[in-house]
Amino acid sequence: MRAMNAKSDLVFNIVLIIFCILLTIIIIYPLYFVCIASISHPSAVANGDTLLLPKKITFAGYEEIFKDPRIGNGFKNTFIYTTLGTLVSMLFTISAAYALSRKDLKTRGFFMFFFTFTMFFSGGLIPEYITVKHFRMDNSLWVMIIPFSVNVFNLIIARTYFQTSIPEGLLEAAQIDGCSDLRFFVRIVLPLSKAILTVISLYYMVTYWNEYFKALIYLRDNKLYPLQLILRDILVRNQSYASGEMVGG
């Protein structure tokens, strides 16, 4: 019996390892392809010759990109938006999630419905723009950080974690010792929630780093553009230039 169980475990482990290797390749290959395509000649990429290794290696694309003086400023802006945005988003999200996880908050059902409702229904782009403009945040650094700082999905994840992972008895014991709600949150809840804090922080960081649509709508000053919007402008300009050459030719 033990020999059969050991053999079954071995087969299961082999299958699991093969599956994980294939999944890793599927996840990593697109990023790898982007890297090798970026240093390959455009004709080699167009012909499909760069599936595994770069062909006709050239750094002309990088040289052309870094000739644009806006790239450095775009990196700086994106770093600022990502850093400040993640901090603000975490402050609002985690605070709200913990409050909504407390059973002694009698109105938490109403507030949870209010937050969840916004996941499925929104006022649309025009009302959002009018609201942002009314608060005079358009064409400013703050429009990239404050108005859209809370992601309801992340809020629900954090609230669920607090409800299931922070025992009620821990709060009762802390209150008996004279611990305030704020101190309990900062000194006990946050240290016990490092895993969920790390995951949600990563979600927010990736979102802010890749953000370009809000900048496209609300920013007019080139000095405030994030890197993604600058790269988009360069790509559109090059595509327009190439199309003009083909028409002219």
Side-chain angles (χ1 to χ4, degrees), residues 28-241:
I28 292 179
Y29 178 75
L31 179 61
Y32 171 74
F33 178 78
V34 170
C35 293
I36 62 175
S38 68
I39 59 174
S40 300
H41 195 275
S43 62
V45 177
N47 294 331
D49 298 331
T50 58
L51 295 179
L52 295 177
L53 295 173
K55 301 292 183 179
K56 302 178 182 179
I57 295 178
T58 175
F59 295 94
Y62 288 99
E63 293 174 359
E64 191 66 26
I65 285 291
F66 285 107
K67 284 180 182 179
D68 195 311
R70 299 177 298 168
I71 290 295
N73 190 58
F75 267 114
K76 183 192 72 173
N77 290 337
T78 298
F79 178 79
I80 293 174
Y81 298 151
T82 302
T83 304
L84 290 181
T86 301
L87 291 175
V88 172
S89 294
M90 288 298 294
L91 174 64
F92 291 160
T93 302
I94 299 302
S95 300
Y98 175 68
L100 292 169
S101 71
R102 291 279 295 267
K103 292 184 178 180
D104 52 349
L105 178 64
K106 296 181 180 180
T107 57
R108 66 174 184 160
F110 167 77
F111 286 117
M112 201 63 235
F113 171 79
F114 179 79
F115 280 115
T116 307
F117 185 84
T118 63
M119 291 181 64
F120 303 101
F121 303 97
S122 68
L125 181 59
I126 295 176
E128 287 179 359
Y129 183 85
I130 293 174
T131 302
V132 169
K133 191 172 182 62
H134 177 76
F135 284 98
R136 298 181 180 179
M137 285 191 292
D138 61 313
N139 199 36
S140 69
L141 177 148
W142 302 110
V143 75
M144 300 294 294
I145 298 173
I146 295 179
F148 311 96
S149 56
V150 176
N151 183 289
V152 179
F153 181 74
N154 293 338
L155 175 67
I156 293 174
I157 292 176
R159 187 206 61 159
T160 304
Y161 179 88
F162 291 143
Q163 285 181 332
T164 57
S165 301
I166 306 299
E168 292 184 29
L170 200 60
L171 174 61
E172 295 173 358
Q175 289 175 335
I176 292 174
D177 291 336
C179 182
S180 65
D181 288 333
L182 179 60
R183 187 176 182 185
F184 176 76
F185 175 66
V186 174
R187 300 293 296 274
I188 298 177
V189 174
L190 294 183
L192 292 176
S193 308
K194 293 179 181 177
I196 195 66
L197 294 178
T198 302
V199 171
I200 294 179
S201 296
L202 183 61
Y203 285 165
Y204 276 126
M205 288 177 65
V206 172
T207 300
Y208 279 107
W209 183 266
N210 292 326
E211 182 59 58
Y212 83 93
F213 184 73
K214 289 200 296 285
L216 182 65
I217 299 299
Y218 298 108
L219 297 181
R220 298 182 298 275
D221 188 351
N222 290 338
K223 295 180 180 179
L224 296 174
Y225 281 5
L227 178 64
Q228 304 299 336
L229 187 56
I230 292 174
L231 293 177
R232 175 188 176 276
D233 287 347
I234 294 174
L235 180 62
V236 171
R237 183 183 60 191
N238 288 343
Q239 287 179 342
S240 300
Y241 179 75

Side-chain angles (χ1 to χ4, degrees), residues 18-32:
I18 294 174
F19 174 77
C20 291
I21 291 174
L22 292 176
L23 184 62
T24 302
I25 293 174
I26 292 172
I27 294 173
I28 292 179
Y29 178 75
L31 179 61
Y32 171 74

